[in-house]
Amino acid sequence: MKTPLFVVAAGMLIAPAALAQSSSEDESAAEQRRNSMDRFFVLSESAAVPPTDVRAETSGDATSQSGEDQAGGLGVSQRVEFVIIKGLSLRAGAELRNTGNGFTPSAQAKYQFLNQKQHGVNLSGGLRYKQVGFQSDGGEMEGVVAAGRRWGQVLGTANLVVGTELGQPEGDIEGHVGLGYLLTENLVVGLNTRYQHEFETEKVGKHPGREFELMSGAMVGYNWNIVDVSLLGGYYMPRATESSGPLAMLRVGLNF
């Protein structure tokens, strides 16, 4: 009788500790997910690594411009991001646009230096490669810094990106901002803007139209279990044209 009683007693002591640890891990994962809600801003880079080990995203966008050079465009992209170790993620992706380049690959490495739970703010830095850069003349390397924070129901994020064309004296600088409000723990609405401008390039002032690109709009994001859905509708001013027009973007993310 002693052995069964000992086993039962041990089980009664261990079970609460195991349940407490499991509950703590669940709370930590939930908090990480809540504090990385800037992943819903489709124009910006999240200041946090994905809240799970793997995140897959599929995005689509449509634009229509009016003006002397009326044009429109469609685009689709796919990317997968893996959290290799705590705070470090690697991403691979490809993008298809109506430019005649077919699918163009991209890759990124990002490290999260600060997290909101411990430091009060999320802060990440990374390097990104694109086969086709902002000026569509060849490959581009970008340095990315992203910061974000949640204040109760209010969510804010900002990015600074500097890119340089590979093999050519051309580059660009980007600024991204996003501001959102959580209507529920799973539903966020807000505004998102991205601005890109050429700098130190031989082509500045030598092509028609503006030397910058602007995308801006209202967004809504919703999380259901492992699925994230983001929708943005707004305004688009493309580079090297005088046209402008509406913009629509949809992104679906899966967190595993």
Side-chain angles (χ1 to χ4, degrees):
M1 294 295 294
K2 292 183 179 180
T3 301
L5 288 175
F6 173 78
V7 172
V8 171
M12 293 178 65
L13 292 173
I14 294 172
L19 289 173
Q21 182 178 2
S22 176
S23 176
S24 176
E25 290 176 352
D26 290 342
E27 290 177 2
S28 178
E31 184 175 9
Q32 184 180 5
R33 190 178 291 255
R34 288 194 298 268
N35 289 338
S36 65
M37 292 290 278
D38 60 352
R39 65 187 185 275
F40 286 99
F41 291 109
V42 296
L43 298 177
S44 303
E45 177 71 31
S46 173
V49 297
T52 53
D53 293 332
V54 181
R55 177 174 170 84
E57 292 181 351
T58 301
S59 302
D61 63 77
T63 60
S64 177
Q65 293 103 52
S66 60
E68 294 182 359
D69 46 357
Q70 295 185 13
L74 297 172
V76 62
S77 65
Q78 177 68 57
R79 58 189 189 184
V80 180
E81 191 167 6
F82 300 89
V83 179
I84 306 302
I85 58 174
K86 184 178 180 180
L88 175 64
S89 69
L90 300 179
R91 177 193 298 164
E95 181 181 47
L96 177 64
R97 294 198 167 274
N98 55 349
T99 58
N101 292 312
F103 275 99
T104 57
S106 63
Q108 175 180 284
K110 181 172 73 173
Y111 185 75
Q112 184 175 350
F113 297 96
L114 304 177
N115 66 78
Q116 182 162 339
K117 182 178 180 181
Q118 295 180 329
H119 308 102
V121 66
N122 290 330
L123 180 66
S124 298
L127 290 175
R128 181 187 300 151
Y129 166 78
K130 296 179 179 178
Q131 188 183 54
V132 175
F134 178 49
Q135 303 180 54
S136 300
D137 291 327
E140 181 180 30
M141 286 295 299
E142 294 180 334
V144 183
V145 177
R149 194 181 193 283
R150 177 180 173 179
W151 299 269
Q153 302 301 105
V154 178
L155 180 70
T157 189
N159 295 173
L160 177 63
V161 183
V162 178
T164 180
E165 299 284 334
L166 299 178
Q168 300 186 44
E170 301 172 357
D172 64 272
I173 188 168
E174 303 177 31
H176 306 225
V177 292
L179 183 65
Y181 185 83
L182 280 80
L183 298 176
T184 71
E185 287 299 308
N186 297 320
L187 178 63
V188 58
V189 296
L191 300 171
N192 198 193
T193 298
R194 183 179 75 191
Y195 177 86
Q196 292 180 265
H197 199 289
E198 299 177 29
F199 73 93
E200 295 182 359
T201 168
E202 296 176 351
K203 295 185 178 181
V204 169
K206 296 182 180 180
H207 57 68
R210 59 183 69 92
E211 295 166 0
F212 67 87
E213 176 180 279
L214 176 67
M215 292 183 173
S216 185
M219 56 77 63
V220 58
Y222 184 75
N223 166 253
W224 181 74
N225 200 357
I226 67 169
V227 181
D228 293 336
V229 178
S230 300
L231 178 65
L232 179 141
Y235 197 68
Y236 177 45
M237 300 174 65
R239 167 190 171 271
T241 75
E242 294 295 344
S243 65
S244 58
L247 161 72
M249 299 185 71
L250 172 67
R251 185 169 71 191
V252 177
L254 300 176
N255 303 289
F256 302 101

